[in-house]
């Protein structure tokens, strides 16, 4: 891994003053490129615009974790493997049953990941094949963890977490609603998971790589990443974005209030990005997903409010919507509770996190940046008895 330096990662991209280490190269990766032209995203060389709606999530997970897009036979085998990994060990279930209903679902996943790591620990040799197996298990059973806790904490019902769904997104929706989801919802989940799967050295991925760089285990790295993603400046933005658009009854009332807030210099979550300078390429994809889901529901008002706020933010602040903005509309239309928006992000991003952990281990270097000291200059120590 190259040492951190002050060179911008991409030509023409200006570091953002509001983001620590913006523009500083902190390592190498073969997994992803973000914003090299200001509005592009590629997974292992594939343009997100080509793969987000064409691929099932399991194809993208295979690409990131197992390094190639699977052929049909490989995809069938991979989905069969993931389906077999949805079960939860008894100690994990016991722990989930102790977590109160008032807990945030991100705390549930953070705890569940840690307990799973204590129950089925990674071997000390950190074998790559076994690390990939852990990655697959986490992607397969995070939905099981979340929904087992969800139903038990509310009505003391111990649900069966192993469903017949052949996809991670379908499995999540079936456990949530107690019945198989309509095809449009499953396809929408595939697209959403694909868009969230990987994003280079974002905060949570960097946290995972820092943990991995110390020689720690996969579960610890993912647990640290989950804690990082919980923050409203990162993954929690989709929850906050939904709360913003849910304030309003009409697009006109939204426009009036957002303009007033902008004039009062308030921050509107869901707009702008630390790396993209022109637009978030994922936005136009998830916006169309949100539109289709809203049309299918026969309820366009929330979408229209979100779209009007998007227009106002561009007109008044020259700020574009990022992936989180219309993701909130999409998840709401599929009946996902607001507090579960970011956990869905976890399920998707686990594919990227774990691939980065494996990559960091191969690099085999600890990450230890230098701080800019702002404290007092050297001064004379005064013994306790002489202090006034």
């Amino acid at each position: 891994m190259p040492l951190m330096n002050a060179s911008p990662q991409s030509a023409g991209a200006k570091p953002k003053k509001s983001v620590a280490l913006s523009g500083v190269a902190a390592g190498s990766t073969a997994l992803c490129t973000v914003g090299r032209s200001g509005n592009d995203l590629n997974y292992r060389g594939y343009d997100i615009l080509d793969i987000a709606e064409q691929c099932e999530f399991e194809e993208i997970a295979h690409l990131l974790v197992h390094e190639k897009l699977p052929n049909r036979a490989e995809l069938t085998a991979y989905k069969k493997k993931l389906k077999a990994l949805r079960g939860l060990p008894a100690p994990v279930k016991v722990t989930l049953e102790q977590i109160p209903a008032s807990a945030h679902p991100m705390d549930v996943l953070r705890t569940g990941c840690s307990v799973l790591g204590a129950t089925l620990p990674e071997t000390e040799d950190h074998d790559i094949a076994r690390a990939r197996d852990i990655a697959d298990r986490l992607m397969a059973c995070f939905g099981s963890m979340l929904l087992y806790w969800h139903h038990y904490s509310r009505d003391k019902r111990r649900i069966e977490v192993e469903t017949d769904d052949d996809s991670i997104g379908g499995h999540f929706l079936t456990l949530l609603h107690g019945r198989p989801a309509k095809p449009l919802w499953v396809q929408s989940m595939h697209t959403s998971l694909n868009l969230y799967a990987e994003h280079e050295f974002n905060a949570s991925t960097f946290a995972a790589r820092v943990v991995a760089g110390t020689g720690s285990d996969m579960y610890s790295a993912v647990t640290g990443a989950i804690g990082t993603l919980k923050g409203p400046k990162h993954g929690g933005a989709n929850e906050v974005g939904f709360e913003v658009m849910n304030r309003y009854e009409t697009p006109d009332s939204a426009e009036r209030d957002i303009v007033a807030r902008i004039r009062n210099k308030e921050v509107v979550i869901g707009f702008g990005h630390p790396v993209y300078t022109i637009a978030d390429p994922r936005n136009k994809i998830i916006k169309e997903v949100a539109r289709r889901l809203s049309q299918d529901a026969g309820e366009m008002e929330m979408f229209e409010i979100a779209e009007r706020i998007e227009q106002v933010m561009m007109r008044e602040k020259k700020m574009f919507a990022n992936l989180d903005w219309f993701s909130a509309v999409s998840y709401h239309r599929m009946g996902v509770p607001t507090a579960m928006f970011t956990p869905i992000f976890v399920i998707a991003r686990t594919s990227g996190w774990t691939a980065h952990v494996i990559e960091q281990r191969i690099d085999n270097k600890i990450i230890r940046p230098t701080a800019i000291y702002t404290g007092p200059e050297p001064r004379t120590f005064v013994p306790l008895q002489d202090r006034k």
Side-chain angles (χ1 to χ4, degrees):
M1 174 185 291
L3 295 175
M4 288 188 180
N5 59 69
S7 300
Q9 184 181 349
S10 57
K14 293 182 179 180
K16 298 202 173 184
K17 294 179 181 179
S18 61
V19 182
L21 300 182
S22 178
V24 175
S28 302
T29 182
L31 288 166
C32 180
T33 62
V34 177
R36 290 195 297 184
S37 66
N39 65 341
D40 63 284
L41 173 64
N42 291 271
Y43 295 171
R44 292 196 187 274
Y46 295 103
D47 191 324
I48 193 65
L49 300 180
D50 294 333
I51 60 178
E53 295 191 279
Q54 297 285 337
C55 294
E56 297 181 55
F57 172 64
E58 286 72 16
E59 294 176 71
I60 300 305
H62 196 281
L63 170 67
L64 294 171
V65 177
H66 299 273
E67 301 188 4
K68 68 183 292 284
L69 282 174
N71 59 33
R72 191 171 298 278
E74 290 168 333
L75 178 60
T76 298
Y78 189 49
K79 292 172 80 170
K80 183 178 180 180
K81 176 187 178 182
L82 292 170
K83 185 176 180 180
L85 294 173
R86 291 174 181 166
L88 300 174
V92 175
K93 290 182 178 179
V94 169
T95 301
L96 292 172
E97 290 178 9
Q98 306 309 307
I99 301 175
S102 60
H104 193 286
M106 288 293 283
D107 296 337
V108 174
L109 290 186
R110 183 193 64 213
T111 301
C113 181
S114 188
V115 174
L116 184 63
T119 304
L120 301 172
E122 183 176 20
T123 56
E124 292 186 2
D125 63 1
H126 292 174
D127 176 77
I128 291 179
R130 285 192 287 271
R132 288 178 174 143
D133 287 341
I134 292 172
D136 291 339
R137 180 181 294 277
L138 288 172
M139 286 185 285
C141 77
F142 269 150
S144 300
M145 285 184 195
L146 183 62
L147 276 309
Y148 185 89
W149 163 80
H150 175 74
H151 292 292
Y152 184 85
S153 67
R154 281 153 181 76
D155 57 21
K156 304 303 178 186
R157 183 161 57 94
R158 295 182 173 96
I159 65 167
E160 174 53 60
V161 297
E162 298 181 68
T163 71
D164 289 332
D165 301 278
D166 75 343
S167 71
I168 287 172
H171 173 245
F172 177 91
L173 291 169
T174 293
L175 291 185
L176 176 62
H177 297 301
R179 60 185 183 279
K182 61 175 69 177
L184 174 63
W185 286 18
V186 175
Q187 178 57 50
S188 298
M189 284 294 292
H190 277 305
T191 302
S192 175
L193 294 171
N194 289 345
L195 293 171
Y196 273 121
E198 164 58 8
H199 218 232
E200 197 232 49
F201 278 27
N202 58 88
S204 57
T205 298
F206 190 61
R209 291 191 73 130
V210 169
V211 174
T214 68
S216 192
D217 64 289
M218 178 70 81
Y219 297 100
S220 293
V222 174
T223 299
I226 293 171
T228 308
L229 191 69
K230 181 183 176 184
K233 292 184 180 180
H234 192 13
N238 52 22
E239 295 179 43
V240 178
F242 179 74
E243 292 169 3
V244 170
M245 63 186 73
N246 206 37
R247 296 173 186 153
Y248 311 110
E249 294 184 358
T250 66
D252 288 344
S253 64
E255 178 166 357
R256 286 191 298 269
D257 186 63
I258 292 296
V259 168
R261 289 173 184 271
I262 291 171
R263 289 173 181 167
N264 289 330
K265 301 188 183 304
E266 292 186 31
V267 175
V268 180
I269 296 293
F271 294 87
H273 193 272
V275 180
Y276 298 121
T277 56
I278 299 173
D280 185 336
R282 303 167 298 178
N283 178 60
K284 66 179 181 180
I285 301 172
I286 199 64
K287 183 176 180 179
E288 288 309 307
V289 169
R291 189 194 306 274
R292 288 194 294 267
L293 288 167
S294 299
Q295 290 171 338
D296 179 69
E299 174 51 74
M300 296 298 297
E301 193 162 68
M302 177 166 285
F303 177 85
E304 290 167 355
I305 288 169
E307 186 175 45
R308 180 71 67 84
I309 296 173
E310 177 189 31
Q311 293 166 354
V312 171
M313 290 297 292
M314 178 54 67
R315 185 187 74 216
E316 300 290 329
K317 295 282 290 181
K318 298 295 186 285
M319 293 182 72
F320 53 82
N322 57 42
L323 173 60
D324 293 323
W325 187 245
F326 284 101
S327 290
V329 179
S330 301
Y331 294 149
H332 176 68
R333 284 287 155 243
M334 290 187 282
V336 178
T338 309
M340 290 189 188
F341 291 1
T342 310
I344 295 175
F345 193 159
V346 169
I347 295 170
R349 187 57 59 84
T350 295
S351 59
W353 288 338
T354 53
H356 275 278
V357 168
I358 292 168
E359 201 173 57
Q360 184 67 36
R361 288 172 170 178
I362 293 171
D363 183 73
N364 198 29
K365 290 185 177 67
I366 193 168
I367 298 173
R368 202 295 190 187
T370 299
I372 299 172
Y373 179 66
T374 61
E377 292 303 315
R379 48 187 171 173
T380 303
F381 170 73
V382 180
L384 179 60
Q385 63 271 21
D386 297 331
R387 294 178 206 158
K388 296 181 181 180

